[in-house]
Amino acid sequence: MKPLAGRCIVTTRPAAQAAVLGRELQALGAEVLNFPVIAIAPADPAPLRALDLAGFELAFFVSANAVEQAFAIRPRAQWPASLRVATVGPSSARALRDHGCSEVIVPAQGFDSEAVLALPEFQAAAIAGRRVLVLRGEGGRELLADTLRERGAAVEQVGVYRRSCAALDPAPLWARFARGELSALLFTASEGLRFFLEITGEEGRMMLAGLPCFAPHPRIAEALRAAGATQVEQTLPGDAGLLAGLAAFFAAPSD
């Protein structure tokens, strides 16, 4: 029997990024209910259009959203072949390769800014004096850019998309929870948890307290505990870590 057979797993990713994880969950036997709490919209394209991309040695994409929105503004043909590209994890690396970037600098594990900053290509000896372009969502973390500047790089950040709380009706999700039909909640971004609670209110906090909540990063796990989740399962990073954690959790005999 497949390890997630008979389980209904709730994911909270933006709709455009939920499909791959959904298919992988279904392959393990799960019913997948996507509740896409983060709405993604393009940012002002003018700043990226105005840049001379040939002036940069490295372009870093913070997420798959950044990849899709950046190449929507500046098609792949407009990016110099000499411009190296880097990103944070497997999903965004796959998005870059789908756009024709055959060589992608990406951590083998960790899949966050800290893991990126530990790569040889981002050490002071390699990055000092280089011009680095960071493509991100508006209002993202500053750790990467600040650290690269401390290491001697000239960093320019451009917001290519904006995130907001999606307009969702929480009633169907609550109804399934009330009937005991939900098995777990997955959160892959701390911001997703914040928007989940904005949408669902007190009923959302009851769902957090009543269901196993899975997170692939300690920051998200910590935010879940602070929000009242009583059973937080921190998995290994990335989708592979989430899937393995879910499979192991539901395969284990219950007390």
Side-chain angles (χ1 to χ4, degrees), residues 157-252:
Q157 300 190 92
V158 176
V160 293
Y161 66 96
R162 57 174 61 96
R163 299 172 294 263
S164 62
C165 185
L168 298 176
D169 179 5
L173 184 68
W174 172 254
R176 295 203 63 176
F177 171 74
R179 293 195 298 267
E181 296 175 358
L182 304 183
S183 304
L185 298 170
L186 305 191
F187 292 92
T188 53
S190 299
E191 191 170 40
L193 172 60
R194 178 164 62 85
F195 290 154
F196 176 84
L197 291 173
E198 283 186 26
I199 294 166
T200 60
E202 189 57 35
E203 292 175 343
R205 293 190 182 276
M206 293 175 67
M207 285 187 267
L208 292 183
L211 292 169
C213 297
F214 288 77
H217 195 279
R219 281 197 312 274
I220 308 170
E222 181 180 352
L224 279 163
R225 295 186 187 99
T230 57
Q231 187 169 4
V232 177
E233 301 292 327
Q234 183 185 323
T235 71
L236 293 174
D239 287 2
L242 270 174
L243 294 165
L246 279 159
F249 178 86
F250 286 111

Side-chain angles (χ1 to χ4, degrees), residues 111-155:
F111 310 140
D112 57 14
S113 295
E114 291 82 355
V116 171
L117 290 167
L119 292 171
E121 293 88 348
F122 288 85
Q123 302 311 300
I127 207 73
R130 306 285 185 177
R131 292 193 69 205
V132 179
L133 174 62
V134 176
L135 291 310
R136 64 177 191 163
E138 293 180 346
R141 293 179 76 197
E142 298 295 333
L143 175 66
L144 182 79
D146 288 347
T147 305
L148 291 182
R149 291 184 181 115
E150 291 171 1
R151 294 176 181 178
V155 180

Side-chain angles (χ1 to χ4, degrees), residues 31-66:
E31 176 191 354
V32 180
L33 180 58
N34 193 41
F35 192 65
V37 298
I38 303 175
I40 302 296
D44 180 2
L48 182 56
R49 285 178 179 161
L51 282 182
D52 178 10
L53 297 175
F56 295 91
E57 284 87 13
L58 178 65
F60 180 80
F61 298 78
V62 304
S63 65
N65 285 318

